[in-house]
Amino acid sequence: YLQSAHPNEFKREGGWLRMKSIPTICMKKGCGGFKNYATLETGNSIDFLVRYMNYDFVTAVSRLTATRNSAPQSTRIHDVSLPQRAKEDTAIYRYLSGRGFTDEVIQKLIANGLLYQDVHRNAVFMNASGDFYESRGTWPGKAFHQCGKRTPDCFWSFVPDGTAEKAYICESSIDAVSLYLIHSRAGTENCNSAYCGIAGVANQRTIERIQHWLPSVLAVDNDDAGEQCRQRNRGIPVLIPRCKDWNEDLMANKD
């Protein structure tokens, strides 16, 4: 399935298939799963499509159970069905305020059509064209994260001043806004910049698309996956959070 649906994102090596953007992730023919030989992470085929290819669960199952003769008609992962919008936004104000966001930035994101609350009280970060969203659960102690995109290189971006001359590439929408707030408090770098969330470092095509759009700074997490991403993109300037990610940095210095 991966060779037919995503031929440019994997390399065939004998009976193995290697992910180009994360070369330590491999699949062996007939085994129906994957292994990351750097982290020893393993999973089945559905796990791989959800974690690394940004499929939702239902789409992953339907594509893998389709008949062998039904070849994909395009490079689209799936059509984007945006979560149903709620009539209120109290839950996302409480949740994002708890993660260090100011009321001003929350209001600006909502006014610009980049954030809303869905009927399940999740915070939904949607891009301006409506072909990408990333949602986060707001219920305490119940982690939830979901992403939907029309094509593999879609992403979310926030341009505070309306024009951008530089892009900061972050792993998530929350990290992108957190980095903006860190810059805003310090009085540096936030003018004429785009703060982008790509929904995970495995999305190499997204990184390349943003690079073609604007001069970029790679601002992914301070962990093993982030370091692998920096090694794959050595030609891009980097900015590394002191904690694991930019939201943790924001929370550590919110007072």
Side-chain angles (χ1 to χ4, degrees):
Y1 171 77
L2 291 174
Q3 284 185 288
S4 62
H6 304 281
N8 298 321
E9 298 179 50
F10 296 89
K11 181 180 180 182
R12 182 72 178 267
E13 297 178 351
W16 295 80
L17 202 63
R18 187 183 300 275
M19 192 175 185
K20 290 182 180 179
S21 61
I22 307 179
T24 56
I25 292 181
C26 299
M27 281 71 71
K28 187 176 182 181
K29 186 176 181 180
C31 290
F34 77 95
K35 182 173 182 178
N36 187 331
Y37 284 86
T39 65
L40 301 183
E41 176 194 16
T42 60
N44 60 36
S45 302
I46 296 172
D47 293 333
F48 178 77
L49 292 179
V50 171
R51 295 179 197 173
Y52 290 98
M53 303 302 292
N54 291 310
Y55 284 56
D56 59 42
F57 179 82
V58 174
T59 302
V61 173
S62 65
R63 291 298 176 89
L64 290 173
T65 56
T67 61
R68 294 183 180 182
N69 293 328
S70 58
Q73 297 179 354
S74 72
T75 58
R76 292 187 302 170
I77 289 178
H78 55 82
D79 290 330
V80 175
S81 179
L82 294 171
Q84 184 179 351
R85 191 183 298 263
K87 295 180 179 180
E88 58 181 23
D89 49 29
T90 54
I92 61 174
Y93 267 93
R94 184 185 66 251
Y95 170 70
L96 294 173
S97 294
R99 298 194 68 161
F101 283 30
T102 63
D103 284 353
E104 180 183 6
V105 78
I106 296 172
Q107 292 166 5
K108 190 167 187 176
L109 292 171
I110 292 174
N112 290 346
L114 301 175
L115 171 68
Y116 68 90
Q117 179 177 314
D118 73 11
V119 293
H120 300 292
R121 301 171 68 88
N122 299 316
V124 180
F125 293 84
M126 177 184 75
N127 69 1
S129 56
D131 58 10
F132 173 99
Y133 77 87
E134 185 179 12
S135 61
R136 295 279 181 173
T138 65
W139 294 98
K142 294 184 178 180
F144 173 78
H145 179 222
Q146 186 179 61
C147 177
K149 57 171 71 176
R150 182 160 291 119
T151 59
D153 58 356
C154 290
F155 60 95
W156 183 89
S157 65
F158 173 47
V159 184
D161 297 322
T163 59
E165 298 175 356
K166 178 193 297 185
Y168 290 94
I169 304 173
C170 303
E171 289 198 33
S172 71
S173 306
I174 285 181
D175 281 334
V177 180
S178 298
L179 180 56
Y180 160 70
L181 288 169
I182 291 170
H183 283 167
S184 183
R185 289 178 182 179
T188 60
E189 294 291 342
N190 64 316
C191 293
N192 298 324
S193 295
Y195 292 83
C196 306
I198 64 172
V201 291
N203 297 309
Q204 185 63 32
R205 290 174 65 176
T206 310
I207 294 173
E208 293 168 1
R209 177 180 176 181
I210 296 172
Q211 279 187 276
H212 288 133
W213 174 41
L214 288 170
S216 301
V217 176
L218 193 61
V220 296
D221 288 2
N222 184 9
D223 58 12
D224 290 341
E227 181 57 28
Q228 290 179 32
C229 182
R230 286 185 283 273
Q231 291 299 316
R232 293 195 305 271
N233 297 277
R234 294 185 181 182
I236 310 177
V238 302
L239 192 64
I240 305 175
R242 293 181 180 180
C243 301
K244 178 186 177 294
D245 58 43
W246 295 112
N247 188 247
E248 288 189 9
D249 276 17
L250 179 67
M251 294 293 292
N253 296 283
K254 66 178 181 179
D255 298 326

